[in-house]
Amino acid sequence: MSRIGKKPVELPSGVEAKVSGQTIEVKGPKGTRTFKATDDVTLAVEDGSITVTPRGKSKRARQQWGMSRSMVENLVTGVTTGFKKELEINGVGYRATMQGTNVLKLALGYSHDVNFEVPEGVTVTAPKQTEIIVEGIDQQLVGQVAANIREWRAPEPYKGKGIKYKDEYIFRKEGKKK
């Protein structure tokens, strides 16, 4: 029995949801998002909330029940508040600046600057030279863009230089002993 799936997703004021077949469309102040559920679950919108119920008692139906409910909740959260990932740059001479609206210029100790193209649906800002903020309404896309930026220079364990998430802890190692 899914504990997550049992709980209905509440629709805040200003958010509309429409179900057509297995597809749900959620409209809110930040935009519109859709999700297509599998045939193992049933989606229903009733009096200000969205409910997800399994069709049958198979293992796959129970798996899809909780997952579909989480996906619907992420749609609602995305169109109301949005998602945000914060990155921090550590290292001498390492910095980030925005070039125009969709190019992030990263100086990461390579012989050349890295120009990162920001995909559609995500906004990237660099309020300080050592800080990058990735925001958007699609949680998966925001996380993927943040991971792609971090991939250019992941933090190393000896001095902690590189790009890390703001809340990430870098396990430090001791250097070579004499």
Side-chain angles (χ1 to χ4, degrees), residues 88 129 136 157:
E88 208 173 70
Q129 287 186 338

Side-chain angles (χ1 to χ4, degrees), residues 82-144:
F83 294 100
K84 179 179 183 179
K85 288 274 187 185
E86 295 181 22
L87 299 164
E88 208 173 70
I89 301 174
N90 294 322
V92 178
Y94 289 12
R95 63 184 160 272
T97 54
M98 284 304 294
Q99 208 172 42
T101 56
N102 66 340
V103 176
L104 178 68
K105 191 173 185 179
L106 299 166
L108 298 172
Y110 295 121
S111 61
H112 58 285
D113 288 348
V114 175
N115 291 324
F116 182 79
E117 292 283 332
V118 179
E120 203 68 32
V122 174
T123 57
V124 176
T125 54
K128 298 180 194 167
Q129 287 186 338
T130 59
E131 205 173 285
I132 303 167
I133 298 173
V134 183
E135 294 175 299
I137 63 171
D138 185 356
Q139 185 181 27
Q140 192 275 328
L141 189 60
V142 168
Q144 188 61 54

Side-chain angles (χ1 to χ4, degrees), residues 8-43:
V9 179
E10 298 297 322
L11 289 174
S13 60
V15 177
E16 297 175 21
K18 264 194 312 197
V19 176
S20 59
Q22 289 300 102
T23 306
I24 185 164
E25 182 179 10
V26 181
K27 286 183 186 173
K30 290 199 175 240
T32 305
R33 299 268 298 122
T34 59
F35 170 67
K36 186 173 186 329
T38 61
D39 292 332
D40 298 310
V41 294
T42 307
L43 301 167

Side-chain angles (χ1 to χ4, degrees), residues 2 4 35 38 62-72:
S2 174
I4 294 171
F35 170 67
T38 61
R62 287 182 285 126
Q63 290 170 344
Q64 295 298 317
W65 184 19
M67 191 274 304
S68 297
R69 192 262 180 205
S70 295
M71 294 297 285
V72 170

